[in-house]
């Protein structure tokens, strides 16, 4: 049987990537076919190499436009024929060309309960606003920043005033949430239809 093929885009530590590696390394259904990073020093590249997953460093600074960089990623990605492209701490805004090409097959994890706290620095902003709850969201990517249709969320009570500690707690949530949503997408229990998330659970 052909496995459901996922490609992961990263820019940094890759702890979410690690949670996917751990979840799917012996899976009969899901294959983690490649990792792409726009940062050479991203520790996620090391994680990919330890797990024997093909990885590629594509330096955005070598391209004179966002579109040109995205075209380079598309060329690399299409080689793997991914069923799903997973953004896991990928710190670049994607061009409309990229997003339109993979719409419905492109997801992101964001460290907040969207639509609250789009953008960066979410943990500090949540603490500053004295929110009772914080969490993580997995969503399909569209042409808006952190604004695409939501697949699933997970939340906790905020019990610290320290953004670093809160970040750790949210990472733990993410490491459960992302693999489980990806499993559901691979089994067609979650999919996008006419711009809406359908859940067949
Ligand atoms: C995560 O918090 C994720 O929600 C955000 O970027 C962070 C990546 O962390 N998009 P890591 O590189 O997976 O450890």
């Amino acid at each position: 049987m052909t496995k459901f093929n996922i490609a992961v885009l990263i820019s940094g530590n890759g702890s979410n990537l690690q949670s996917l590696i751990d979840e799917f390394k012996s899976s009969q259904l899901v294959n983690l076919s490649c990792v792409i990073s726009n940062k050479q020093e991203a520790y996620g590249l090391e994680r990919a190499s330890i797990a024997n997953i093909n990885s590629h460093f594509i330096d955005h600074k070598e391209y004179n436009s966002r579109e040109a960089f995205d075209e380079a990623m598309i060329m690399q990605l299409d080689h793997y024929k991914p069923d799903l492209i997973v953004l896991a701490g990928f710190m670049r805004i994607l061009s409309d060309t990229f997003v339109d090409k993979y719409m419905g097959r492109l997801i992101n994890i964001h460290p907040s309960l969207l639509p609250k706290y789009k953008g960066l620095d979410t943990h500090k902003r949540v603490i500053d606003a004295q929110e009772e709850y914080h969490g993580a969201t997995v969503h399909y990517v569209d042409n808006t920043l952190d604004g695409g249709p939501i697949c699933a969320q997970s939340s906790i009570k905020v019990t610290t005033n320290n953004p670093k500690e809160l970040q750790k707690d949210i990472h733990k949530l993410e490491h459960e949430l992302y693999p489980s949503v990806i499993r559901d997408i691979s089994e067609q229990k979650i999919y996008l239809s006419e711009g809406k998330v359908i859940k067949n659970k």
Side-chain angles (χ1 to χ4, degrees):
M1 197 178 90
T2 329
K3 289 188 185 181
F4 186 83
N5 218 358
I6 65 176
V8 185
L9 270 49
I10 59 162
S11 300
N13 178 31
S15 68
N16 279 285
L17 167 65
Q18 188 64 54
S19 74
L20 304 181
I21 292 172
D22 295 343
E23 174 76 18
F24 298 122
K25 67 180 171 232
S26 359
S27 168
Q28 302 297 309
L29 303 173
V30 175
N31 175 41
L32 225 162
S33 62
C34 82
V35 172
I36 294 179
S37 172
N38 67 315
K39 297 269 187 182
Q40 193 161 29
E41 68 280 11
Y43 184 62
L45 287 175
E46 186 74 26
R47 296 179 192 272
S49 140
I50 292 167
N52 271 321
I53 296 165
N54 287 346
S55 65
H56 305 274
F57 160 53
I58 305 179
D59 188 354
H60 60 271
K61 294 197 235 70
E62 279 183 15
Y63 299 86
N64 55 17
S65 69
R66 193 175 295 286
E67 282 70 23
F69 168 66
D70 285 3
E71 280 298 339
M73 285 205 299
I74 288 172
M75 275 181 60
Q76 193 60 260
L77 282 169
D78 281 358
H79 178 73
Y80 292 96
K81 301 191 172 39
D83 297 300
L84 185 70
I85 296 166
V86 173
L87 306 181
F90 182 69
M91 300 304 284
R92 298 274 308 165
I93 291 174
L94 293 162
S95 63
D96 288 350
T97 314
F98 190 98
V99 172
D100 291 344
K101 179 173 167 72
Y102 296 116
M103 188 85 79
R105 293 191 286 144
L106 178 61
I107 59 171
N108 182 42
I109 188 158
H110 182 77
S112 80
L113 294 170
L114 290 172
K116 285 177 141 187
Y117 302 101
K118 296 176 180 181
L120 298 173
D121 226 4
T122 57
H123 313 298
K124 180 171 184 320
R125 286 158 60 209
V126 161
I127 288 172
D128 288 349
Q130 301 188 334
E131 293 281 2
E132 197 179 354
Y133 291 95
H134 185 29
T137 303
V138 177
H139 65 95
Y140 283 101
V141 176
D142 66 9
N143 304 97
T144 61
L145 179 72
D146 299 327
I150 290 174
C151 302
Q153 295 185 308
S154 185
S155 66
I156 48 165
K157 226 172 171 157
V158 179
T159 54
T160 173
N161 280 326
N162 180 335
K164 285 268 167 233
E165 266 178 34
L166 188 53
Q167 182 182 32
K168 259 196 208 159
D169 294 342
I170 297 301
H171 262 124
K172 274 192 213 144
L173 283 189
E174 292 185 340
H175 299 159
E176 296 284 316
L177 181 66
Y178 222 5
S180 109
V181 169
I182 291 170
R183 206 181 322 113
D184 283 348
I185 291 176
S186 76
E187 293 170 6
Q188 291 188 309
K189 290 181 179 161
I190 295 180
Y191 58 92
L192 193 67
S193 174
E194 293 173 0
K196 289 206 165 54
V197 171
I198 311 292
K199 293 191 186 188
N200 268 336
K201 292 216 207 187

